[in-house]
Amino acid sequence: MYRKFILFILAFNLQNILYAQYFTPSQLLYPYTIYPPQIVSRSAIMIDAHTGTLLYSKNPDLEIPPASLTKLMTMHLVMNEIEAGRASLEEIVPLTVDSWAQRQPEGSSLMFLEPRQIVTLREIMLGMSISSGNDAAVAAALRFAPTMEEFAAMMTSEARRMGLHVTRFVESSGISELNVTNAEEYAHFCRQYLELHPQSLNDFHSVEVFYYPMAHNVPEHLRRNLITYTHYNRNNLLRIFSGTDGLKTGFIDESGYNIAVTAQRDQTRIIAVLMGAPSQRGGDRIRDADTERLLTWAFENFKTIRPEIDPIENPRLWKGREKTVKLVFSEPPDFTSPIDRAEKLFFTTFIPNPLIAPLQAGYTAGYYIISDELGELRRIPLITAEAYERGNIFRRIWHSFLLLFNKNK
């Protein structure tokens, strides 16, 4: 029995080492993650979007071309420019020859951009998110950089800034197999993307239908023979899995079928990235079935807890200038819980030793423990909010006497 326990601890610590770069598995959830669903896709990862807790992984560091998941990074850079005031969703985007639909590689997904069209940046964003248009991705790139190579360099530079070490891009649409990422890094990117651009779900990723071109997109003399295409969102989970509101699908032969998906039910939001579903006919259905299986399992077993916590009472400071110590959480109190726990919460502040000056800022003074009827759920380090210096000699002597008396008592 003791040997099995040691093996469990070693296995858990090894898992922590493997995923410490981005997502940490929770010991609390371990019994619930032993038998996850089986999937066909070569690589996958699933996390709680709010806490970053790892819920599922399969070959998360396998390098695979992202295909049209690439467009999410393109959209991220566009939204950065808009939020910085250097662009507007309502501005008209110049359509260079390179962005025309007829100039895209064979087999491209298209928004159907053509010469002389009048298209806004908002429509370009919808063309990327719904139609998965390679032409839209080229138009977006050439709006913000003089060449595709320079925009791709911006994409890779932004990936590094966001902490992605493997991910790299050579163009903005995802058509090239030389774009590379892995499921773990891409989930890390998706989590940041949602934190930075929460409005993108409503504005772009959950929109199911997009009509283009419309009459206002072409000169008046071309409107009589206008052909308007109905573009349905490539993310089928929007229609088949309740709570889904993003993000992006992708496919090229070299990667197979990929998806980055997010869904929310009640207060729990899940992010899942699946890559490498089979390239052959029907691979998209396999990818969608894998994704639905994982999301169903996640919502049936886990939930996000955002505890309402009263202010922490300041403990006494000994031998210091101040009378008390201000303590703060070293990390957010929110956590991912098994679905059948955390119905009634209990809170305990545990400070094992007297706090004696001097104390540096960030000193771990104790723990804040969140429990339910079955035991401990979350233990958060409590740290000093600032540095505390020693008091005068008389206070130090008096407090030394009190501490000795309390100890002997």
Side-chain angles (χ1 to χ4, degrees), residues 165-180:
H165 307 294
V166 170
T167 303
R168 59 185 181 273
F169 302 98
V170 299
E171 49 82 36
S172 62
S173 72
I175 194 68
S176 173
E177 75 280 7
L178 299 180
N179 296 322
V180 172

PDB file of all heavy atoms in Angstrom, residues 165-180:
ATOM      1  N   HIS A 165       6.916  29.296 -27.236  1.00  0.00           N
ATOM      2  CA  HIS A 165       8.305  29.096 -27.654  1.00  0.00           C
ATOM      3  C   HIS A 165       8.440  28.259 -28.918  1.00  0.00           C
ATOM      4  O   HIS A 165       9.444  28.363 -29.629  1.00  0.00           O
ATOM      5  CB  HIS A 165       9.086  28.441 -26.511  1.00  0.00           C
ATOM      6  CG  HIS A 165       8.975  29.176 -25.211  1.00  0.00           C
ATOM      7  ND1 HIS A 165       9.503  30.431 -25.032  1.00  0.00           N
ATOM      8  CD2 HIS A 165       8.364  28.857 -24.037  1.00  0.00           C
ATOM      9  CE1 HIS A 165       9.247  30.850 -23.799  1.00  0.00           C
ATOM     10  NE2 HIS A 165       8.552  29.910 -23.181  1.00  0.00           N
ATOM     11  N   VAL A 166       7.448  27.445 -29.218  1.00  0.00           N
ATOM     12  CA  VAL A 166       7.483  26.573 -30.387  1.00  0.00           C
ATOM     13  C   VAL A 166       6.745  27.203 -31.563  1.00  0.00           C
ATOM     14  O   VAL A 166       7.158  27.083 -32.717  1.00  0.00           O
ATOM     15  CB  VAL A 166       6.871  25.195 -30.053  1.00  0.00           C
ATOM     16  CG1 VAL A 166       6.675  24.353 -31.311  1.00  0.00           C
ATOM     17  CG2 VAL A 166       7.752  24.457 -29.041  1.00  0.00           C
ATOM     18  N   THR A 167       5.656  27.884 -31.272  1.00  0.00           N
ATOM     19  CA  THR A 167       4.764  28.424 -32.300  1.00  0.00           C
ATOM     20  C   THR A 167       5.488  29.418 -33.196  1.00  0.00           C
ATOM     21  O   THR A 167       6.158  30.333 -32.716  1.00  0.00           O
ATOM     22  CB  THR A 167       3.557  29.097 -31.647  1.00  0.00           C
ATOM     23  OG1 THR A 167       2.889  28.138 -30.810  1.00  0.00           O
ATOM     24  CG2 THR A 167       2.593  29.629 -32.681  1.00  0.00           C
ATOM     25  N   ARG A 168       5.331  29.246 -34.507  1.00  0.00           N
ATOM     26  CA  ARG A 168       5.920  30.181 -35.470  1.00  0.00           C
ATOM     27  C   ARG A 168       5.047  30.219 -36.722  1.00  0.00           C
ATOM     28  O   ARG A 168       4.317  29.276 -37.017  1.00  0.00           O
ATOM     29  CB  ARG A 168       7.350  29.780 -35.836  1.00  0.00           C
ATOM     30  CG  ARG A 168       7.478  28.401 -36.454  1.00  0.00           C
ATOM     31  CD  ARG A 168       8.939  28.024 -36.671  1.00  0.00           C
ATOM     32  NE  ARG A 168       9.071  26.715 -37.291  1.00  0.00           N
ATOM     33  CZ  ARG A 168       9.103  25.563 -36.629  1.00  0.00           C
ATOM     34  NH1 ARG A 168       9.016  25.571 -35.310  1.00  0.00           N
ATOM     35  NH2 ARG A 168       9.215  24.421 -37.273  1.00  0.00           N
ATOM     36  N   PHE A 169       5.139  31.331 -37.450  1.00  0.00           N
ATOM     37  CA  PHE A 169       4.278  31.553 -38.606  1.00  0.00           C
ATOM     38  C   PHE A 169       5.086  32.055 -39.793  1.00  0.00           C
ATOM     39  O   PHE A 169       6.062  32.792 -39.627  1.00  0.00           O
ATOM     40  CB  PHE A 169       3.188  32.583 -38.274  1.00  0.00           C
ATOM     41  CG  PHE A 169       2.322  32.200 -37.105  1.00  0.00           C
ATOM     42  CD1 PHE A 169       2.575  32.713 -35.836  1.00  0.00           C
ATOM     43  CD2 PHE A 169       1.265  31.317 -37.273  1.00  0.00           C
ATOM     44  CE1 PHE A 169       1.781  32.364 -34.761  1.00  0.00           C
ATOM     45  CE2 PHE A 169       0.465  30.959 -36.196  1.00  0.00           C
ATOM     46  CZ  PHE A 169       0.718  31.479 -34.937  1.00  0.00           C
ATOM     47  N   VAL A 170       4.651  31.645 -40.991  1.00  0.00           N
ATOM     48  CA  VAL A 170       5.254  32.151 -42.222  1.00  0.00           C
ATOM     49  C   VAL A 170       4.235  32.917 -43.062  1.00  0.00           C
ATOM     50  O   VAL A 170       4.599  33.578 -44.027  1.00  0.00           O
ATOM     51  CB  VAL A 170       5.884  31.016 -43.059  1.00  0.00           C
ATOM     52  CG1 VAL A 170       6.991  30.321 -42.279  1.00  0.00           C
ATOM     53  CG2 VAL A 170       4.817  30.017 -43.514  1.00  0.00           C
ATOM     54  N   GLU A 171       2.964  32.810 -42.742  1.00  0.00           N
ATOM     55  CA  GLU A 171       1.910  33.565 -43.420  1.00  0.00           C
ATOM     56  C   GLU A 171       0.674  33.602 -42.526  1.00  0.00           C
ATOM     57  O   GLU A 171       0.620  32.911 -41.516  1.00  0.00           O
ATOM     58  CB  GLU A 171       1.606  32.991 -44.805  1.00  0.00           C
ATOM     59  CG  GLU A 171       1.378  31.485 -44.847  1.00  0.00           C
ATOM     60  CD  GLU A 171      -0.024  31.093 -44.462  1.00  0.00           C
ATOM     61  OE1 GLU A 171      -0.958  31.837 -44.804  1.00  0.00           O
ATOM     62  OE2 GLU A 171      -0.196  30.055 -43.803  1.00  0.00           O
ATOM     63  N   SER A 172      -0.323  34.415 -42.911  1.00  0.00           N
ATOM     64  CA  SER A 172      -1.406  34.771 -41.998  1.00  0.00           C
ATOM     65  C   SER A 172      -2.642  33.894 -42.076  1.00  0.00           C
ATOM     66  O   SER A 172      -3.525  34.001 -41.230  1.00  0.00           O
ATOM     67  CB  SER A 172      -1.832  36.221 -42.275  1.00  0.00           C
ATOM     68  OG  SER A 172      -2.338  36.342 -43.608  1.00  0.00           O
ATOM     69  N   SER A 173      -2.746  33.014 -43.079  1.00  0.00           N
ATOM     70  CA  SER A 173      -3.997  32.272 -43.272  1.00  0.00           C
ATOM     71  C   SER A 173      -3.970  30.858 -42.709  1.00  0.00           C
ATOM     72  O   SER A 173      -5.012  30.305 -42.372  1.00  0.00           O
ATOM     73  CB  SER A 173      -4.336  32.207 -44.757  1.00  0.00           C
ATOM     74  OG  SER A 173      -3.455  31.324 -45.429  1.00  0.00           O
ATOM     75  N   GLY A 174      -2.787  30.242 -42.657  1.00  0.00           N
ATOM     76  CA  GLY A 174      -2.681  28.859 -42.200  1.00  0.00           C
ATOM     77  C   GLY A 174      -2.570  27.858 -43.318  1.00  0.00           C
ATOM     78  O   GLY A 174      -2.506  26.649 -43.067  1.00  0.00           O
ATOM     79  N   ILE A 175      -2.508  28.311 -44.569  1.00  0.00           N
ATOM     80  CA  ILE A 175      -2.430  27.390 -45.708  1.00  0.00           C
ATOM     81  C   ILE A 175      -1.098  26.674 -45.770  1.00  0.00           C
ATOM     82  O   ILE A 175      -0.990  25.573 -46.304  1.00  0.00           O
ATOM     83  CB  ILE A 175      -2.700  28.141 -47.036  1.00  0.00           C
ATOM     84  CG1 ILE A 175      -2.962  27.174 -48.183  1.00  0.00           C
ATOM     85  CG2 ILE A 175      -1.558  29.088 -47.356  1.00  0.00           C
ATOM     86  CD1 ILE A 175      -4.234  26.399 -48.069  1.00  0.00           C
ATOM     87  N   SER A 176      -0.056  27.268 -45.175  1.00  0.00           N
ATOM     88  CA  SER A 176       1.282  26.682 -45.249  1.00  0.00           C
ATOM     89  C   SER A 176       1.516  25.677 -44.126  1.00  0.00           C
ATOM     90  O   SER A 176       1.188  25.933 -42.966  1.00  0.00           O
ATOM     91  CB  SER A 176       2.355  27.768 -45.175  1.00  0.00           C
ATOM     92  OG  SER A 176       3.642  27.195 -45.090  1.00  0.00           O
ATOM     93  N   GLU A 177       2.130  24.551 -44.483  1.00  0.00           N
ATOM     94  CA  GLU A 177       2.514  23.555 -43.484  1.00  0.00           C
ATOM     95  C   GLU A 177       3.718  24.000 -42.669  1.00  0.00           C
ATOM     96  O   GLU A 177       4.095  23.342 -41.682  1.00  0.00           O
ATOM     97  CB  GLU A 177       2.804  22.211 -44.159  1.00  0.00           C
ATOM     98  CG  GLU A 177       4.121  22.118 -44.911  1.00  0.00           C
ATOM     99  CD  GLU A 177       4.060  22.742 -46.295  1.00  0.00           C
ATOM    100  OE1 GLU A 177       3.033  23.372 -46.631  1.00  0.00           O
ATOM    101  OE2 GLU A 177       5.051  22.591 -47.043  1.00  0.00           O
ATOM    102  N   LEU A 178       4.338  25.142 -43.042  1.00  0.00           N
ATOM    103  CA  LEU A 178       5.489  25.648 -42.304  1.00  0.00           C
ATOM    104  C   LEU A 178       5.086  26.452 -41.069  1.00  0.00           C
ATOM    105  O   LEU A 178       5.929  26.757 -40.228  1.00  0.00           O
ATOM    106  CB  LEU A 178       6.371  26.504 -43.221  1.00  0.00           C
ATOM    107  CG  LEU A 178       6.958  25.777 -44.430  1.00  0.00           C
ATOM    108  CD1 LEU A 178       7.817  26.723 -45.264  1.00  0.00           C
ATOM    109  CD2 LEU A 178       7.762  24.557 -43.998  1.00  0.00           C
ATOM    110  N   ASN A 179       3.814  26.810 -40.953  1.00  0.00           N
ATOM    111  CA  ASN A 179       3.309  27.313 -39.674  1.00  0.00           C
ATOM    112  C   ASN A 179       3.289  26.145 -38.695  1.00  0.00           C
ATOM    113  O   ASN A 179       2.878  25.039 -39.058  1.00  0.00           O
ATOM    114  CB  ASN A 179       1.892  27.863 -39.816  1.00  0.00           C
ATOM    115  CG  ASN A 179       1.808  29.072 -40.713  1.00  0.00           C
ATOM    116  OD1 ASN A 179       2.685  29.919 -40.702  1.00  0.00           O
ATOM    117  ND2 ASN A 179       0.744  29.148 -41.506  1.00  0.00           N
ATOM    118  N   VAL A 180       3.722  26.374 -37.456  1.00  0.00           N
ATOM    119  CA  VAL A 180       3.833  25.272 -36.490  1.00  0.00           C
ATOM    120  C   VAL A 180       3.391  25.743 -35.107  1.00  0.00           C
ATOM    121  O   VAL A 180       3.645  26.878 -34.704  1.00  0.00           O
ATOM    122  CB  VAL A 180       5.293  24.757 -36.408  1.00  0.00           C
ATOM    123  CG1 VAL A 180       5.442  23.740 -35.272  1.00  0.00           C
ATOM    124  CG2 VAL A 180       5.706  24.100 -37.718  1.00  0.00           C
TER     125      VAL A 180
END
